[in-house]
Amino acid sequence: MEIAGYRVPLEVVRIREDIKTMKIRGAGNIARHGAQAIAIAAEKYSGKDLEDFKKYLKAVADYVKSARPTAVSLPNSISYVMSRLEKGRPSSVEEAVEVVTRAAREFIAYSENAVKVIAQLGAKRIERGDTLMTHCHSRASVEVIITAHRQGKVGRVYVKETRPALQGLITAAELAREGVEVVLIPDSAVRYYMKRVDKVVVGADAVAANGAVINKIGTSLVALAAKEARARVYVASETYKFSPYTIIGELVPIEVREPTEIVDFAWLAENPGVEVFNPVFDATPPEYVDAIITEKGVIPPQSAMLILVEEYGVAPTSTEHLAHAVDLE
Ligand code: RI2
């Protein structure tokens, strides 16, 4: 595979392909693999020209970032690694490779630790005997629930199957393996069961500056049903899922995947008059979220901007502070 005249290492092509086809999935997992892909690309560079190395790595970074559009954790993790290369001012390719691989390791360690912290903080919000509901498969949410379960607090957990990719089945199996009382329900049963639920715990693919949470399609309906039933909604999200792009007015793009994830080719061929759409994320407005549990603390969604300001700085009159996160050139 060639990008901008550079050969992309096979391992990197594979990681991107696995992210695209959702073999590698979950916003945090995608981010860690994105960082790892850049480190692999750096190590595989065989030239001696530092400027050429930087151009090569930028081309690979853009290529990996484009694997999936919605989870902002992917561009954020890659931008983290690339910004270290910029700031590190290496004087040779060897030094640059060292800076990049160290940054990728740092990001991965940070990310894994963040999930552990979120598990501890999130579990504090679960009270003894709580009935929970979750959606899709989110590592951060599963860890919150397992931690609360080990503390003896979780009653029963309703897990939505989460069509069309059925990630709810992964969640149900993981929770059951931990001894959690799990009930797998069809997505359409969300309102039917919500009256029995005390708290909803879901993950995030992106959090916008206004506190809106972008997560697997159907999350906004869970939140709507939860509001009606007065169940609390908690979002477990590492801070690198907060989108700096939204500060400058960008909307989070919603990925639309193949119709064949919903119906097969034969059905499509038999029904040429039917259009099939498969959007895989939706946005839950901040009013429907009680708190976002991050590794930096539990915040109301309306405080999302504080996280972004801490991460990217304040410079209301310029966008320079965003340069490492947003391609503004
Ligand atoms: P963690 C997933 O997206 C789900 O929407 C999940 O809630 C979110 O990423 C966060 O997952 P997909 O990759 O980072 O399944 O908490 O499309 O694992």
Side-chain angles (χ1 to χ4, degrees):
M1 160 76 66
E2 273 212 5
I3 300 285
Y6 293 105
R7 209 182 60 77
V8 182
L10 195 59
E11 292 92 325
V12 175
V13 175
R14 276 206 199 108
I15 291 176
R16 185 184 181 278
E17 199 49 30
D18 286 351
I19 292 174
K20 207 172 154 57
T21 56
M22 290 176 65
K23 251 188 226 149
I24 295 171
R25 51 148 302 281
N29 196 28
I30 289 173
R32 290 187 285 277
H33 279 88
Q36 193 198 342
I38 303 307
I40 293 172
E43 279 169 340
K44 295 273 173 187
Y45 181 77
S46 54
K48 292 274 165 238
D49 180 340
L50 183 57
E51 284 318 304
D52 186 65
F53 171 79
K54 287 182 183 170
K55 276 194 208 144
Y56 154 79
L57 213 59
K58 164 99 174 58
V60 174
D62 289 345
Y63 164 72
V64 178
K65 275 184 202 175
S66 68
R68 287 186 77 189
T70 302
V72 76
S73 52
L74 177 63
N76 279 354
S77 72
I78 293 175
S79 298
Y80 175 90
V81 175
M82 296 300 282
S83 72
R84 291 302 178 280
L85 174 61
E86 210 47 51
K87 285 184 198 151
R89 297 190 188 285
S91 55
S92 66
V93 170
E94 292 72 41
E95 259 181 63
V97 172
E98 171 56 26
V99 169
V100 168
T101 50
R102 197 182 329 122
R105 279 198 305 273
E106 252 170 48
F107 178 84
I108 293 166
Y110 181 90
S111 163
E112 282 165 354
N113 190 54
V115 174
K116 287 186 190 147
V117 175
I118 287 170
Q120 295 300 326
L121 300 187
K124 289 187 185 180
R125 292 298 178 112
I126 312 296
E127 289 158 297
R128 194 164 289 276
D130 269 351
T131 297
L132 308 177
M133 184 180 281
T134 189
H135 181 60
C136 197
H137 176 261
S138 145
R139 178 84 272 130
S141 307
V142 165
E143 292 303 325
V144 168
I145 296 170
I146 288 176
T147 305
H149 165 72
R150 288 182 183 157
Q151 295 169 356
K153 296 198 278 193
V154 177
R156 164 181 286 190
V157 183
Y158 289 101
V159 178
K160 297 173 70 245
E161 58 178 356
T162 317
R163 286 193 173 264
L166 297 174
Q167 297 98 325
L169 274 62
I170 309 172
T171 303
E174 283 185 359
L175 292 178
R177 264 200 302 277
E178 284 291 323
V180 178
E181 187 187 328
V182 185
V183 180
L184 184 70
I185 58 167
D187 291 316
S188 41
V190 56
R191 188 164 176 263
Y192 181 83
Y193 283 108
M194 190 58 84
K195 26 185 163 334
R196 306 178 192 183
V197 170
D198 300 294
K199 283 153 196 167
V200 167
V201 184
V202 290
D205 289 82
V207 177
N210 71 346
V213 171
I214 292 78
N215 193 47
K216 185 57 55 186
I217 190 83
T219 303
S220 66
L221 277 176
V222 178
L224 191 65
K227 198 173 180 77
E228 181 196 40
R230 294 173 185 271
R232 290 187 184 274
V233 175
Y234 294 119
V235 174
S237 171
E238 303 91 298
T239 53
Y240 53 79
K241 293 173 185 166
F242 285 54
S243 169
Y245 310 88
T246 57
I247 306 176
I248 53 168
E250 297 287 344
L251 298 172
V252 176
I254 299 293
E255 179 181 6
V256 177
R257 295 182 67 86
E258 290 301 313
T260 46
E261 289 183 356
I262 299 182
V263 289
D264 60 23
F265 280 114
W267 193 93
L268 279 175
E270 281 162 21
N271 297 278
V274 180
E275 270 191 280
V276 181
F277 283 122
N278 182 20
V280 295
F281 298 102
D282 66 17
T284 301
E287 311 83 84
Y288 292 83
V289 175
D290 286 278
I292 303 179
I293 300 150
T294 81
E295 76 280 13
K296 294 189 176 169
V298 179
I299 60 161
Q302 291 78 6
S303 298
M305 192 64 190
L306 292 180
I307 298 282
L308 285 164
V309 165
E310 187 190 301
E311 198 63 28
Y312 302 101
V314 221
T317 54
S318 91
T319 46
E320 229 175 76
H321 65 299
L322 291 169
H324 79 278
V326 186
D327 289 329
L328 294 170
E329 72 266 25

